[in-house]
């Protein structure tokens, strides 16, 4: 093993692909291995703040991203019980000027394809599917991994971008399973023309209710409509991508206003996710091995920044390797630059979940707290995220 060997990336999700691209852009050979038989992402939308659009620009993929994105007009918080508007942040020219980039919504599969295509077009990137890594190892000169079928792959550095159930993390940190939050997400995408015209909106709209919310926004240049219904549930099933139970959903959302009820009724088949996160940790690198994205700092989605943090990680990692000769020092620097920012996203996501899901007096506090919110105040409250790195 030697440092002339490629950097091994475990996991071909958004984080792994962004890392492959960032490293190849700075002239490094990369070998990415994914356990699934083909690369892909779930059929759902993703919100992308200006901090992430800045990363797409730096990664050289802003044009294809702009081609498939939708640019919403506002972020709006409404009360799911009485339909009143609680707060609004215009995503207008002032917003773009403040943060340098727009706010976008993107179909996950579209975003992932942009990254896969950019990687596939770069000779320094080797992409492989159908290879599950079961063990990782290192010595002073390099890293090695074993696949489920017993092969050994070697490299100079190992990046565990293997998601919230990361096997690399369990070997490196060994801190058990991610935390069950008791929150469940049902997600669905439908063609825009199936949405009643009076309920279509060019904004990201979040209807917050007691222990629940519904969020929706257009996708893919406005051709699709994405919905995510989140609620607190005792149904702690493991894993993802299983089908949701519409009866449970409608029971949980009993009592919401007519608009929310009508929108929920448009979907017959939901996909379900059990939402988990982890308490932030101070270190996730050891020698030549590091973690990235959800494997390092899985977060709840209430700030819509999990994938964004993975993409920022990717750029930061490549940047540190460019500037620091010693591998293990570079990985420590990368980690140090990312720990507080990603921890803040994790902890504030929990807090925003509480605000969205406020009930009783909490709901009145939310209304009072946000009543006088001006667009400028709204922008400044998100400055720490949207100004980016
Ligand atoms: C309901 C919901 C809504 C969200 N909304 C947003 C949003 O609006 N904006 C946002 O920025 N983020 C959002 N997120 C968060 C975002 O989806 C994640 O943070 C992001 O997808 C993490 O990417 P990743 O590449 O780190 O991990 P993953 O996407 O989990 O990718 C990990 C990859 O590693 C592979 N893998 C795992 N183990 C192995 C192994 N042993 N060998 C080989 N391959 C392996 C997996 O198959 C997978 O392809 C949301 C999340 C949820 C649940």
């Amino acid at each position: 093993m030697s440092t002339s060997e490629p950097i091994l990336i475990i996991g071909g999700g958004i984080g792994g692909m962004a890392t492959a691209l960032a490293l190849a852009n700075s002239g490094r050979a990369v070998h990415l291995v994914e356990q699934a038989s083909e690369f892909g992402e779930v059929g759902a939308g993703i919100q992308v703040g200006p901090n992430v659009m800045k990363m797409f620009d730096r990664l050289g993929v802003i044009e294809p991203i702009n081609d498939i994105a939708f640019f919403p007009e506002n972020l709006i918080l409404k009360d799911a019980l009485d339909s009143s508007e609680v707060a609004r942040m215009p995503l207008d020219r002032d917003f773009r000027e403040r943060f340098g980039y727009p706010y976008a919504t993107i179909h996950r599969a579209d975003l992932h394809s942009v990254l896969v295509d950019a990687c596939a077009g770069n000779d320094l990137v080797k992409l492989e599917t159908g290879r599950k890594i079961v063990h990782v190892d290192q010595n002073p000169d390099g890293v090695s991994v074993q696949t489920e079928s017993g092969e050994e792959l070697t490299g100079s550095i190992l990046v565990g971008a293997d998601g919230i159930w990361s096997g690399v993390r369990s070997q490196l940190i060994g801190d058990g399973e991610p935390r069950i939050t008791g929150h469940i997400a049902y997600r669905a995408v439908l063609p825009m023309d199936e949405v009643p015209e009076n309920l279509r909106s060019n904004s990201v709209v979040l209807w917050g209710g007691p222990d629940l919310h519904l969020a929706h926004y257009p996708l893919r240049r406005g051709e699709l409509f994405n919905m995510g219904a989140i609620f607190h549930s005792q149904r702690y099933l493991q894993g993802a991508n299983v089908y949701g139970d519409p009866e449970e959903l409608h029971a949980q959302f009993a009592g919401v206003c007519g608009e929310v009820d009508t929108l929920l009724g448009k979907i017959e088949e939901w996909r379900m996710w059990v939402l988990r996160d982890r308490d932030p940790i101070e270190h996730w690198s050891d020698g030549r091995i590091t973690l990235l994205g959800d494997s390092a700092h899985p977060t709840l989605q209430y700030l819509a920044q999990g994938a964004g943090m993975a993409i920022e990680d990717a750029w930061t990692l490549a940047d540190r390797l460019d500037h620091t000769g010693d591998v293990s020092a570079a990985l420590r620097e990368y980690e140090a630059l990312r720990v507080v920012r990603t921890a803040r996203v994790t902890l504030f996501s929990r807090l925003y979940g509480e605000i969205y899901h406020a009930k009783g007096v909490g709901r009145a506090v939310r209304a009072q707290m946000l009543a006088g919110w001006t667009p400028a105040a709204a922008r400044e409250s998100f400055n720490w995220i949207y100004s980016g790195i």
Side-chain angles (χ1 to χ4, degrees):
M1 291 182 279
S2 80
T3 48
S4 63
E5 286 205 83
I7 296 177
L8 284 179
I9 300 173
I10 315 302
I14 290 171
M17 282 296 164
T19 307
L21 185 58
L23 293 169
N25 280 350
S26 62
R28 287 162 205 283
V30 174
H31 183 181
L32 181 151
V33 283
E34 163 60 43
Q35 65 183 359
S37 56
E38 52 189 57
F39 290 116
E41 257 290 342
V42 295
I46 198 164
Q47 299 177 58
V48 168
N51 56 311
V52 190
M53 295 298 277
K54 184 198 273 185
M55 293 297 103
F56 291 142
D57 200 6
R58 289 190 190 171
L59 290 173
V61 292
I62 192 79
E63 284 182 21
I65 290 287
N66 282 340
D67 285 346
I68 41 101
F70 180 81
F71 298 100
E73 291 169 5
N74 303 280
L75 298 182
I76 301 174
L77 174 60
K78 294 184 97 170
D79 187 299
L81 298 183
D82 65 12
S83 180
S84 60
E85 184 169 308
V86 180
R88 170 185 294 245
M89 174 159 59
L91 304 172
D92 52 7
R93 205 175 59 189
D94 288 345
F95 180 92
R96 291 180 190 213
E97 279 174 7
R98 175 71 182 86
F99 299 117
Y101 291 87
Y103 196 100
T105 59
I106 307 179
H107 194 290
R108 281 168 178 268
D110 294 347
L111 164 55
H112 195 249
S113 294
V114 165
L115 296 173
V116 174
D117 290 350
C119 284
N122 191 315
D123 290 343
L124 288 170
V125 182
K126 180 176 172 188
L127 300 176
E128 281 190 318
T129 53
R131 288 190 129 174
K132 180 172 179 175
I133 303 307
V134 291
H135 188 75
V136 305
D137 209 349
Q138 65 177 316
N139 67 30
D141 300 321
V143 297
S144 63
V145 301
Q146 261 157 27
T147 68
E148 198 172 36
S149 59
E151 290 164 277
E152 187 185 73
L153 311 174
T154 57
S156 55
I157 296 171
L158 187 136
V159 183
D162 49 345
I164 190 164
W165 293 100
S166 170
V168 181
R169 181 180 178 125
S170 49
Q171 248 195 269
L172 210 63
I173 318 274
D175 57 350
E177 292 197 348
R179 191 181 74 108
I180 292 174
T181 60
H183 300 198
I184 291 202
Y186 279 25
R187 296 198 279 185
V189 175
L190 68 165
M192 186 58 86
D193 55 19
E194 288 182 18
V195 182
E197 264 183 55
N198 62 321
L199 295 178
R200 290 182 201 171
S201 166
N202 283 335
S203 294
V204 175
V205 184
L206 190 148
W207 301 81
D211 289 340
L212 57 84
H213 80 258
L214 171 72
H216 58 74
Y217 47 83
L219 287 178
R220 199 176 281 162
R221 300 173 291 263
E223 294 154 27
L224 301 173
F225 190 76
N226 182 82
M227 285 205 267
I230 318 291
F231 53 92
H232 297 205
S233 166
Q234 297 302 313
R235 212 170 152 210
Y236 298 146
L237 293 179
Q238 265 196 9
N241 290 343
V242 288
Y243 289 98
D245 171 6
E247 256 181 50
E248 183 192 21
L249 180 73
H250 290 290
Q252 295 283 348
F253 277 75
V256 293
C257 63
E259 292 105 307
V260 174
D261 195 48
T262 308
L263 283 170
L264 292 174
K266 298 307 295 177
I267 308 284
E268 282 163 17
E269 198 173 274
W270 296 87
R271 290 278 197 161
M272 186 188 90
W273 276 256
V274 175
L275 300 174
R276 294 172 177 255
D277 69 1
R278 285 185 186 274
D279 289 329
I281 51 174
E282 284 174 76
H283 299 292
W284 60 66
S285 302
D286 176 22
R288 293 176 169 272
I289 303 180
T290 194
L291 304 177
L292 182 142
D294 274 10
S295 69
H297 42 68
T299 177
L300 292 173
Q301 80 291 2
Y302 299 120
L303 284 174
Q305 282 285 336
M309 288 303 105
I311 295 165
E312 286 187 359
D313 285 352
W315 188 84
T316 308
L317 176 62
D319 182 63
R320 283 304 90 203
L321 286 168
D322 278 352
H323 288 92
T324 308
D326 178 67
V327 165
S328 127
L331 298 191
R332 281 282 174 182
E333 282 179 22
Y334 145 72
E335 175 193 282
L337 285 168
R338 299 302 298 155
V339 162
V340 175
R341 181 164 171 79
T342 55
R344 190 167 173 185
V345 166
T346 302
L347 299 177
F348 273 64
S349 291
R350 292 177 186 172
L351 183 65
Y352 273 76
E354 297 284 323
I355 295 170
Y356 299 153
H357 297 179
K359 51 183 186 276
V361 179
R363 178 175 166 235
V365 171
R366 178 180 73 188
Q368 189 194 61
M369 199 175 78
L370 295 173
W373 232 29
T374 61
R379 285 194 297 274
E380 291 320 305
S381 75
F382 286 104
N383 176 39
W384 66 275
I385 303 181
Y386 294 155
S387 284
I389 53 170

